Amino acid sequence: MTLYSCCFILLVFAWNTAAYGPNQRAQKKGDIILGGLFPIHFGVAAKDQDLKSRPESVECIRYNFRGFRWLQAMIFAIEEINSSPTLLPNMTLGYRIFDTCNTVSKALEATLSFVAQNKIDSLNLDEFCNCSEHIPSTIAVVGATGSGISTAVANLLGLFYIPQVSYASSSRLLSNKNQFKSFLRTIPNDEHQATAMADIIEYFRWNWVGTIAADDDYGRPGIEKFREEAEERDICIDFSELISQYSDEEEIQQVVEVIQNSTARVIVVFSSGPDLEPLIKEIVRRNITGKIWLASEAWASSSLIAMPEFFRVIGSTIGFALKAGQIPGFREFLQKVHPKKSTNNGFAKEFWEETFNCYLPDGSKNSPASASFHKGHEESLGAGNGTAAFRPPCTGDENITSVETPYMDYTHLRISYNVYLAVYSIAHALQDIYTCTPGKGLFTNGSCADIKKVEAWQVLKHLRHLNFTNNMGEQVDFDEFGDLVGNYSIINWHLSPEDGSVVFEEVGHYNVYAKKGERLFINENKILWSGFSKEVPFSNCSRDCLPGTRKGIIEGEPTCCFECVDCPDGEYSDETDASACDKCPEDYWSNENHTSCIPKQIEFLSWTEPFGIALTLFAVLGIFLTSFVLGVFTKFRNTPIVKATNRELSYLLLFSLLCCFSSSLFFIGEPQDWTCRLRQPAFGISFVLCISCILVKTNRVLLVFEAKIPTSLHRKWWGLNLQFLLVFLCTFVQIVICVIWLYTAPPSSYRNHDLEDEIIFITCHEGSLMALGFLIGYTCLLAAICFFFAFKSRKLPENFNEAKFITFSMLIFFIVWISFIPAYASTYGKFVSAVEVIAILAASFGLLACIFFNKVYIILFKPSRNTIEEVRCSTAAHAFKVAARATLRRSNVSRKRSNSLGGSTGSTPSSSISSKSNHEDPFPLPASAERQRQQQRGCKQKVSFGSGTVTLSLSFEEPQKNAVANRTTKRRNSLEAQNSDDSLMRHRALLPLQ
């Protein structure tokens, strides 16, 4: 069975050897062999395998100069290690390098060669097989390039734990150690690159992008990670397409149509150069310009895409590039390449032919016919250098430095340095094995591996624990996922003014070690958009919303497509594209443009505003008029008019009116706690004091006039002290209400934000509306009682109680305060105070004018009426009016009684009052003489009734004062005896009060 297995493996190995002839590999013997996988070609020729004959290996086409440079970097590193006296001394590294042709099939063919050789060695078939050309096992593989290729290779190498160190495969899927056990890499994970792409889009405030990804294990995971990052940053994706270098023309056309019709100007591309090339060619053919291309590191510096003829379409490319490294001596090594000198490098021959567009005569593969075949493919794919149908023969003396190719572009060694670093990583792992001290090793019981019989899995173990310093002084160690964390350079494509070639200008960097928000740095001054513009292009679904507005969602559209909605009042936005408007603080309001908050306007009934000034002037006018009246009453205090109005109560009444006018001033100005607590009690107590004085004065006169027989008890009862006591008691009730109010719920100043949004009304919070209602209600109750007594006293002599005017003043009072209630309830802000001030002033002016202005007018302008005779005459006239009415009523009653008994019908009662029925004095005196006579002797009053007129004549001459008194007494006695009129006796009591 073992022999059969040997034969089978040898057959497989022989088939691989046939498939990879001398011109399709770079190989060198050594003690330890390293494998290499590099894309020397960009692809394979399409060939229909109809299986009518034995399938042949497909042919690789379109030479990749950069891939050959990467291969040279591996060879250079191995030769440098072999010549090092300190690294792996007395050990020689060999290599077996194959061309993957940028396809999975070719890469797996090469990988089978590595695995088959290792399997032969593990079977130990030397005693059965005569292997004179024995090649040691491949203990590690450097490669491959594309993530999709590395995924396939890693699955196969992982079965045998052969370490694979990739220099360009950045897919995040390869970090899964459960699936890819032996995979490591010297390039950062794409996860950081996708995050960096999203950060760049956010930096330039773009939110409307398209995505294109290669349909492989590199493009799909990379663009998926970008979508995750974009979603976190509210970046919307307009379209998402997959491409491949093997896509047919129809598929490419569809993708181009999507790009052309999209409004997104930024296109994020996760792809390799070969996969993207067909799409870019079609875009160039259609001349679709104005797009910004955000390139992943796999094509950001690709020689297939960065061509001058493509620049008008992709000149705005911003891409990521790996951090460049330095390889001393590598430039000279590249220049030494020559087909005749590079005997171990089977790819040097084809490189020479492609570089100088010639052919080397020996070998059927490079015959003119074969060269013509290659040339035809190159011209169809745009990779050729010549224009002739047949290449001329190469002389071998061509100068490699005279031709500009990507091979000699060693200014930014990125992938080449990663290859160099991958070789050195394996070498240092072998060095650790070589220098391992038994007992301190990584294997069981601290054992060490034998460097001469080292196996692949042992090298993998040491690679996972690797830690060394590279030639640039940086620490190299693989993390738990087999990755090296590195930084990115950000490049912008420029057109060289010297030769018109595309150059990669470094415009920033991305530091994955920095804190979030500080990782990205971009120098915008270095960026050229479309090759010449400095203005950042616009790539948003909607125009920016200016400060003062916010983004509003449009139904059925992505979140990045929005309409700009003005911030509502009281909210603001001070940034562009605000998602929401911020509310202003409580004491602030949004300005006219809603871009900031300004302090709210503070309003109260101010001393300085016209309304406040007007109310203040009216209040001062009221105080002045009241003071003037008080002064007049004080000066004329001994005149009959003043005496007849109860002088002391009039003084107190005027003082209370002064307090009423003054209390209105507490409602003007900025409310403070102390003014709020003072103004309502001051108003309430002042008005109660005022109305109490009017009530007591009116009620006193009414009771005296209605008393049947005024006695000394009446005079004592209605003495001055008792009057003041009643005023005090009425006022004390109001004081008690105010004290209870201030104790239980004291008013306070209040900043009201609710009435109008942009205004703060400083008002007084009354504490208890019930207490305010009691205060005003009690005042109105006293006013109602006062109104009742005043109405009842309307027929008394006006010298004693101006009942009609008091009645009118009380009507004004009620009208004012009844109107006050709905006005107070319907107004707000400073107008609440204004309404109450107006009510106070109106009521106060009504009381002052109705009660005092008539008397002041008589005192100042009609002094003839301010005499004792005028007062007494008025009183007597009122008394005799009452007596005459009583007499006539009694006469009418007697007449009706006599008629019922059959008595006489024309009896007239005797009286000292002369009665004249319907005729006048036959000898009247002239008017002037009559007035003079009345002034000298007294007064004459006529009392008219329905059936006649009664004339009353009274004389008050001073020389005959006592006689007049006696006659008056007799006349009173006569009236008492003849009429028995109690009413007259009630008015007698007033004569001594005068």
Side-chain angles (χ1 to χ4, degrees), residues 746-791:
S748 60
S749 61
Y750 170 64
R751 299 170 72 90
N752 195 330
H753 301 265
D754 302 328
L755 298 178
E756 290 190 19
D757 294 329
E758 68 272 17
I759 299 176
I760 298 176
F761 290 100
I762 302 181
T763 59
C764 285
H765 187 272
E766 302 300 349
S768 172
L769 290 177
M770 182 181 294
L772 179 61
F774 275 118
L775 184 142
I776 297 177
Y778 178 68
T779 306
C780 292
L781 175 64
L782 291 181
I785 297 173
C786 186
F787 175 77
F788 171 76
F789 286 126
F791 181 78

Short mmCIF file of all heavy atoms in Angstrom, two decimals, residues 746-791:
data_model
loop_
_atom_site.label_atom_id
_atom_site.label_comp_id
_atom_site.label_asym_id
_atom_site.label_seq_id
_atom_site.Cartn_x
_atom_site.Cartn_y
_atom_site.Cartn_z
N PRO A 746 -48.65 84.17 51.47
CA PRO A 746 -48.20 85.53 51.13
C PRO A 746 -47.91 85.67 49.63
O PRO A 746 -47.35 84.76 49.02
CB PRO A 746 -46.91 85.68 51.94
CG PRO A 746 -46.43 84.30 52.17
CD PRO A 746 -47.66 83.46 52.28
N PRO A 747 -48.31 86.76 49.05
CA PRO A 747 -47.97 87.00 47.64
C PRO A 747 -46.46 87.14 47.46
O PRO A 747 -45.73 87.45 48.39
CB PRO A 747 -48.69 88.32 47.32
CG PRO A 747 -49.73 88.46 48.37
CD PRO A 747 -49.15 87.82 49.60
N SER A 748 -46.02 86.89 46.24
CA SER A 748 -44.59 87.00 45.92
C SER A 748 -44.44 87.33 44.44
O SER A 748 -45.36 87.12 43.65
CB SER A 748 -43.86 85.69 46.24
OG SER A 748 -44.40 84.62 45.50
N SER A 749 -43.27 87.85 44.09
CA SER A 749 -43.00 88.15 42.68
C SER A 749 -42.81 86.84 41.92
O SER A 749 -42.30 85.86 42.46
CB SER A 749 -41.75 89.02 42.54
OG SER A 749 -40.62 88.36 43.06
N TYR A 750 -43.18 86.85 40.67
CA TYR A 750 -43.21 85.61 39.89
C TYR A 750 -42.83 85.93 38.45
O TYR A 750 -43.35 86.88 37.86
CB TYR A 750 -44.62 85.01 39.96
CG TYR A 750 -44.86 83.86 39.01
CD1 TYR A 750 -44.16 82.68 39.12
CD2 TYR A 750 -45.82 83.97 37.99
CE1 TYR A 750 -44.39 81.62 38.25
CE2 TYR A 750 -46.06 82.93 37.12
CZ TYR A 750 -45.34 81.75 37.26
OH TYR A 750 -45.57 80.72 36.40
N ARG A 751 -41.91 85.15 37.91
CA ARG A 751 -41.50 85.30 36.51
C ARG A 751 -42.31 84.33 35.67
O ARG A 751 -42.08 83.12 35.67
CB ARG A 751 -40.00 85.03 36.36
CG ARG A 751 -39.14 85.99 37.16
CD ARG A 751 -37.68 85.54 37.17
NE ARG A 751 -37.04 85.75 35.89
CZ ARG A 751 -36.40 86.87 35.55
NH1 ARG A 751 -36.33 87.88 36.40
NH2 ARG A 751 -35.82 86.99 34.37
N ASN A 752 -43.24 84.85 34.95
CA ASN A 752 -44.19 84.03 34.18
C ASN A 752 -43.65 83.82 32.77
O ASN A 752 -43.52 84.78 32.00
CB ASN A 752 -45.56 84.71 34.15
CG ASN A 752 -46.65 83.75 33.71
OD1 ASN A 752 -46.39 82.83 32.94
ND2 ASN A 752 -47.85 83.96 34.20
N HIS A 753 -43.36 82.56 32.43
CA HIS A 753 -42.84 82.22 31.10
C HIS A 753 -43.92 81.68 30.18
O HIS A 753 -43.66 81.42 29.00
CB HIS A 753 -41.74 81.16 31.20
CG HIS A 753 -40.57 81.58 32.02
ND1 HIS A 753 -39.44 82.14 31.48
CD2 HIS A 753 -40.36 81.53 33.36
CE1 HIS A 753 -38.58 82.41 32.44
NE2 HIS A 753 -39.11 82.04 33.59
N ASP A 754 -45.11 81.49 30.68
CA ASP A 754 -46.11 80.73 29.94
C ASP A 754 -47.04 81.59 29.09
O ASP A 754 -47.67 81.07 28.18
CB ASP A 754 -46.97 79.91 30.93
CG ASP A 754 -46.12 78.96 31.75
OD1 ASP A 754 -45.09 78.50 31.22
OD2 ASP A 754 -46.47 78.70 32.91
N LEU A 755 -47.13 82.85 29.39
CA LEU A 755 -48.12 83.67 28.69
C LEU A 755 -47.70 83.94 27.26
O LEU A 755 -48.46 83.70 26.32
CB LEU A 755 -48.31 84.99 29.45
CG LEU A 755 -48.86 84.82 30.88
CD1 LEU A 755 -48.98 86.16 31.56
CD2 LEU A 755 -50.22 84.12 30.84
N GLU A 756 -46.48 84.42 27.06
CA GLU A 756 -45.95 84.64 25.73
C GLU A 756 -44.54 84.06 25.70
O GLU A 756 -43.78 84.24 26.65
CB GLU A 756 -45.94 86.12 25.36
CG GLU A 756 -47.33 86.69 25.13
CD GLU A 756 -47.28 88.09 24.52
OE1 GLU A 756 -46.22 88.44 23.96
OE2 GLU A 756 -48.28 88.81 24.62
N ASP A 757 -44.22 83.41 24.60
CA ASP A 757 -42.98 82.64 24.56
C ASP A 757 -41.75 83.52 24.69
O ASP A 757 -40.80 83.17 25.39
CB ASP A 757 -42.91 81.85 23.25
CG ASP A 757 -43.99 80.79 23.19
OD1 ASP A 757 -44.36 80.28 24.26
OD2 ASP A 757 -44.48 80.49 22.09
N GLU A 758 -41.73 84.65 23.99
CA GLU A 758 -40.51 85.45 23.95
C GLU A 758 -40.45 86.52 25.03
O GLU A 758 -39.54 87.33 25.04
CB GLU A 758 -40.35 86.10 22.58
CG GLU A 758 -41.37 87.18 22.26
CD GLU A 758 -42.63 86.61 21.63
OE1 GLU A 758 -42.85 85.39 21.73
OE2 GLU A 758 -43.38 87.39 21.02
N ILE A 759 -41.44 86.54 25.92
CA ILE A 759 -41.50 87.58 26.95
C ILE A 759 -41.63 86.92 28.31
O ILE A 759 -42.38 85.95 28.49
CB ILE A 759 -42.70 88.53 26.71
CG1 ILE A 759 -42.57 89.23 25.36
CG2 ILE A 759 -42.79 89.57 27.82
CD1 ILE A 759 -43.75 90.10 25.01
N ILE A 760 -40.87 87.44 29.26
CA ILE A 760 -41.02 87.05 30.66
C ILE A 760 -41.80 88.16 31.35
O ILE A 760 -41.35 89.31 31.41
CB ILE A 760 -39.66 86.85 31.34
CG1 ILE A 760 -38.87 85.73 30.66
CG2 ILE A 760 -39.84 86.54 32.82
CD1 ILE A 760 -37.48 85.55 31.23
N PHE A 761 -42.97 87.83 31.84
CA PHE A 761 -43.77 88.80 32.56
C PHE A 761 -43.47 88.65 34.06
O PHE A 761 -43.69 87.58 34.63
CB PHE A 761 -45.27 88.59 32.31
CG PHE A 761 -45.70 88.95 30.93
CD1 PHE A 761 -45.89 87.97 29.96
CD2 PHE A 761 -45.92 90.26 30.58
CE1 PHE A 761 -46.29 88.29 28.68
CE2 PHE A 761 -46.33 90.60 29.30
CZ PHE A 761 -46.51 89.62 28.35
N ILE A 762 -42.96 89.71 34.64
CA ILE A 762 -42.73 89.71 36.08
C ILE A 762 -44.00 90.23 36.72
O ILE A 762 -44.35 91.41 36.57
CB ILE A 762 -41.51 90.56 36.46
CG1 ILE A 762 -40.26 90.04 35.73
CG2 ILE A 762 -41.30 90.54 37.96
CD1 ILE A 762 -39.01 90.80 36.07
N THR A 763 -44.70 89.37 37.39
CA THR A 763 -45.97 89.73 38.02
C THR A 763 -45.94 89.30 39.47
O THR A 763 -44.97 88.71 39.96
CB THR A 763 -47.14 89.04 37.29
OG1 THR A 763 -46.94 87.62 37.35
CG2 THR A 763 -47.20 89.47 35.84
N CYS A 764 -47.02 89.61 40.14
CA CYS A 764 -47.17 89.17 41.53
C CYS A 764 -48.08 87.96 41.57
O CYS A 764 -49.20 88.00 41.03
CB CYS A 764 -47.75 90.30 42.37
SG CYS A 764 -46.59 91.61 42.77
N HIS A 765 -47.58 86.93 42.16
CA HIS A 765 -48.41 85.76 42.41
C HIS A 765 -49.15 86.01 43.71
O HIS A 765 -48.55 86.13 44.77
CB HIS A 765 -47.55 84.50 42.50
CG HIS A 765 -48.34 83.25 42.58
ND1 HIS A 765 -48.79 82.72 43.77
CD2 HIS A 765 -48.81 82.41 41.61
CE1 HIS A 765 -49.47 81.62 43.55
NE2 HIS A 765 -49.49 81.40 42.24
N GLU A 766 -50.48 86.10 43.61
CA GLU A 766 -51.24 86.58 44.76
C GLU A 766 -51.27 85.59 45.91
O GLU A 766 -51.71 85.93 47.00
CB GLU A 766 -52.68 86.90 44.32
CG GLU A 766 -52.78 87.94 43.22
CD GLU A 766 -52.17 89.27 43.61
OE1 GLU A 766 -51.85 89.46 44.79
OE2 GLU A 766 -52.00 90.12 42.73
N GLY A 767 -50.80 84.42 45.71
CA GLY A 767 -50.77 83.44 46.79
C GLY A 767 -52.09 82.73 46.97
O GLY A 767 -52.16 81.50 46.94
N SER A 768 -53.14 83.49 47.15
CA SER A 768 -54.47 82.91 47.33
C SER A 768 -55.49 83.83 46.68
O SER A 768 -55.71 84.96 47.13
CB SER A 768 -54.79 82.74 48.82
OG SER A 768 -56.13 82.34 49.00
N LEU A 769 -56.10 83.34 45.62
CA LEU A 769 -57.15 84.11 44.97
C LEU A 769 -58.39 84.21 45.86
O LEU A 769 -59.15 85.18 45.78
CB LEU A 769 -57.52 83.46 43.63
CG LEU A 769 -56.47 83.56 42.52
CD1 LEU A 769 -56.94 82.82 41.28
CD2 LEU A 769 -56.17 85.02 42.20
N MET A 770 -58.58 83.23 46.74
CA MET A 770 -59.71 83.28 47.67
C MET A 770 -59.54 84.45 48.63
O MET A 770 -60.51 85.19 48.92
CB MET A 770 -59.81 81.96 48.43
CG MET A 770 -61.00 81.91 49.40
SD MET A 770 -61.08 80.35 50.28
CE MET A 770 -61.42 79.23 48.93
N ALA A 771 -58.32 84.64 49.11
CA ALA A 771 -58.08 85.77 50.01
C ALA A 771 -58.31 87.10 49.31
O ALA A 771 -58.88 88.03 49.87
CB ALA A 771 -56.65 85.68 50.55
N LEU A 772 -57.85 87.17 48.05
CA LEU A 772 -58.10 88.40 47.28
C LEU A 772 -59.59 88.61 47.08
O LEU A 772 -60.09 89.75 47.14
CB LEU A 772 -57.39 88.31 45.93
CG LEU A 772 -57.56 89.50 44.99
CD1 LEU A 772 -57.01 90.77 45.61
CD2 LEU A 772 -56.88 89.22 43.65
N GLY A 773 -60.31 87.52 46.86
CA GLY A 773 -61.76 87.63 46.72
C GLY A 773 -62.43 88.12 47.99
O GLY A 773 -63.35 88.95 47.95
N PHE A 774 -61.96 87.61 49.14
CA PHE A 774 -62.50 88.09 50.42
C PHE A 774 -62.21 89.57 50.60
O PHE A 774 -63.06 90.33 51.09
CB PHE A 774 -61.91 87.29 51.58
CG PHE A 774 -62.64 86.01 51.85
CD1 PHE A 774 -62.01 84.79 51.74
CD2 PHE A 774 -63.98 86.02 52.24
CE1 PHE A 774 -62.68 83.61 51.98
CE2 PHE A 774 -64.66 84.84 52.49
CZ PHE A 774 -64.01 83.63 52.35
N LEU A 775 -61.01 89.99 50.24
CA LEU A 775 -60.63 91.39 50.42
C LEU A 775 -61.53 92.30 49.58
O LEU A 775 -62.08 93.29 50.09
CB LEU A 775 -59.16 91.56 50.03
CG LEU A 775 -58.54 92.94 50.22
CD1 LEU A 775 -57.10 92.81 50.70
CD2 LEU A 775 -58.53 93.72 48.91
N ILE A 776 -61.68 91.99 48.31
CA ILE A 776 -62.51 92.83 47.45
C ILE A 776 -63.99 92.65 47.80
O ILE A 776 -64.78 93.61 47.79
CB ILE A 776 -62.25 92.48 45.98
CG1 ILE A 776 -60.79 92.79 45.62
CG2 ILE A 776 -63.18 93.26 45.05
CD1 ILE A 776 -60.40 92.42 44.20
N GLY A 777 -64.39 91.43 48.16
CA GLY A 777 -65.79 91.18 48.51
C GLY A 777 -66.22 91.95 49.75
O GLY A 777 -67.34 92.50 49.79
N TYR A 778 -65.36 91.97 50.74
CA TYR A 778 -65.69 92.73 51.94
C TYR A 778 -65.81 94.21 51.64
O TYR A 778 -66.71 94.90 52.14
CB TYR A 778 -64.63 92.48 53.00
CG TYR A 778 -64.86 93.26 54.28
CD1 TYR A 778 -65.95 92.95 55.12
CD2 TYR A 778 -64.01 94.29 54.66
CE1 TYR A 778 -66.18 93.67 56.29
CE2 TYR A 778 -64.23 95.00 55.83
CZ TYR A 778 -65.32 94.69 56.64
OH TYR A 778 -65.54 95.42 57.79
N THR A 779 -64.92 94.71 50.79
CA THR A 779 -65.00 96.12 50.40
C THR A 779 -66.30 96.40 49.68
O THR A 779 -66.97 97.42 49.94
CB THR A 779 -63.81 96.46 49.49
OG1 THR A 779 -62.58 96.12 50.14
CG2 THR A 779 -63.78 97.94 49.16
N CYS A 780 -66.67 95.53 48.78
CA CYS A 780 -67.93 95.73 48.04
C CYS A 780 -69.14 95.59 48.96
O CYS A 780 -70.17 96.26 48.76
CB CYS A 780 -68.03 94.72 46.89
SG CYS A 780 -66.81 95.01 45.59
N LEU A 781 -69.06 94.73 49.98
CA LEU A 781 -70.16 94.61 50.94
C LEU A 781 -70.39 95.91 51.68
O LEU A 781 -71.54 96.39 51.81
CB LEU A 781 -69.85 93.47 51.92
CG LEU A 781 -70.86 93.28 53.06
CD1 LEU A 781 -72.23 92.88 52.48
CD2 LEU A 781 -70.36 92.21 54.04
N LEU A 782 -69.32 96.51 52.16
CA LEU A 782 -69.46 97.80 52.83
C LEU A 782 -69.99 98.85 51.87
O LEU A 782 -70.81 99.71 52.25
CB LEU A 782 -68.11 98.24 53.40
CG LEU A 782 -67.57 97.44 54.58
CD1 LEU A 782 -66.23 98.02 55.03
CD2 LEU A 782 -68.55 97.42 55.74
N ALA A 783 -69.52 98.81 50.63
CA ALA A 783 -70.00 99.77 49.64
C ALA A 783 -71.49 99.58 49.38
O ALA A 783 -72.23 100.56 49.20
CB ALA A 783 -69.20 99.62 48.35
N ALA A 784 -71.96 98.33 49.39
CA ALA A 784 -73.38 98.07 49.17
C ALA A 784 -74.22 98.60 50.32
O ALA A 784 -75.29 99.21 50.12
CB ALA A 784 -73.61 96.57 49.00
N ILE A 785 -73.74 98.41 51.56
CA ILE A 785 -74.46 98.95 52.73
C ILE A 785 -74.49 100.47 52.67
O ILE A 785 -75.50 101.12 52.94
CB ILE A 785 -73.81 98.45 54.02
CG1 ILE A 785 -73.92 96.92 54.10
CG2 ILE A 785 -74.44 99.09 55.24
CD1 ILE A 785 -73.15 96.31 55.25
N CYS A 786 -73.35 101.03 52.32
CA CYS A 786 -73.26 102.47 52.19
C CYS A 786 -74.21 102.99 51.12
O CYS A 786 -74.87 104.03 51.30
CB CYS A 786 -71.83 102.88 51.89
SG CYS A 786 -71.54 104.66 51.88
N PHE A 787 -74.28 102.27 50.01
CA PHE A 787 -75.20 102.65 48.94
C PHE A 787 -76.65 102.61 49.44
O PHE A 787 -77.47 103.49 49.12
CB PHE A 787 -75.00 101.72 47.75
CG PHE A 787 -75.98 101.93 46.63
CD1 PHE A 787 -75.83 103.00 45.75
CD2 PHE A 787 -77.08 101.09 46.47
CE1 PHE A 787 -76.73 103.20 44.72
CE2 PHE A 787 -77.99 101.30 45.46
CZ PHE A 787 -77.81 102.36 44.57
N PHE A 788 -76.97 101.63 50.24
CA PHE A 788 -78.33 101.51 50.76
C PHE A 788 -78.70 102.71 51.64
O PHE A 788 -79.75 103.33 51.47
CB PHE A 788 -78.47 100.20 51.55
CG PHE A 788 -79.75 100.08 52.31
CD1 PHE A 788 -80.94 99.78 51.67
CD2 PHE A 788 -79.77 100.29 53.70
CE1 PHE A 788 -82.13 99.67 52.38
CE2 PHE A 788 -80.96 100.19 54.40
CZ PHE A 788 -82.14 99.87 53.74
N PHE A 789 -77.82 103.06 52.55
CA PHE A 789 -78.09 104.18 53.43
C PHE A 789 -78.11 105.49 52.66
O PHE A 789 -78.89 106.40 52.95
CB PHE A 789 -77.07 104.25 54.57
CG PHE A 789 -77.30 103.19 55.62
CD1 PHE A 789 -76.28 102.33 55.99
CD2 PHE A 789 -78.53 103.06 56.25
CE1 PHE A 789 -76.47 101.38 56.95
CE2 PHE A 789 -78.73 102.09 57.22
CZ PHE A 789 -77.71 101.24 57.58
N ALA A 790 -77.21 105.60 51.69
CA ALA A 790 -77.17 106.83 50.91
C ALA A 790 -78.46 106.99 50.10
O ALA A 790 -79.00 108.09 49.97
CB ALA A 790 -75.96 106.82 49.98
N PHE A 791 -78.94 105.89 49.56
CA PHE A 791 -80.18 105.97 48.79
C PHE A 791 -81.35 106.32 49.71
O PHE A 791 -82.24 107.09 49.33
CB PHE A 791 -80.43 104.62 48.09
CG PHE A 791 -81.66 104.60 47.26
CD1 PHE A 791 -81.67 105.18 46.00
CD2 PHE A 791 -82.84 104.01 47.73
CE1 PHE A 791 -82.81 105.17 45.22
CE2 PHE A 791 -83.98 104.00 46.95
CZ PHE A 791 -83.97 104.58 45.70
#
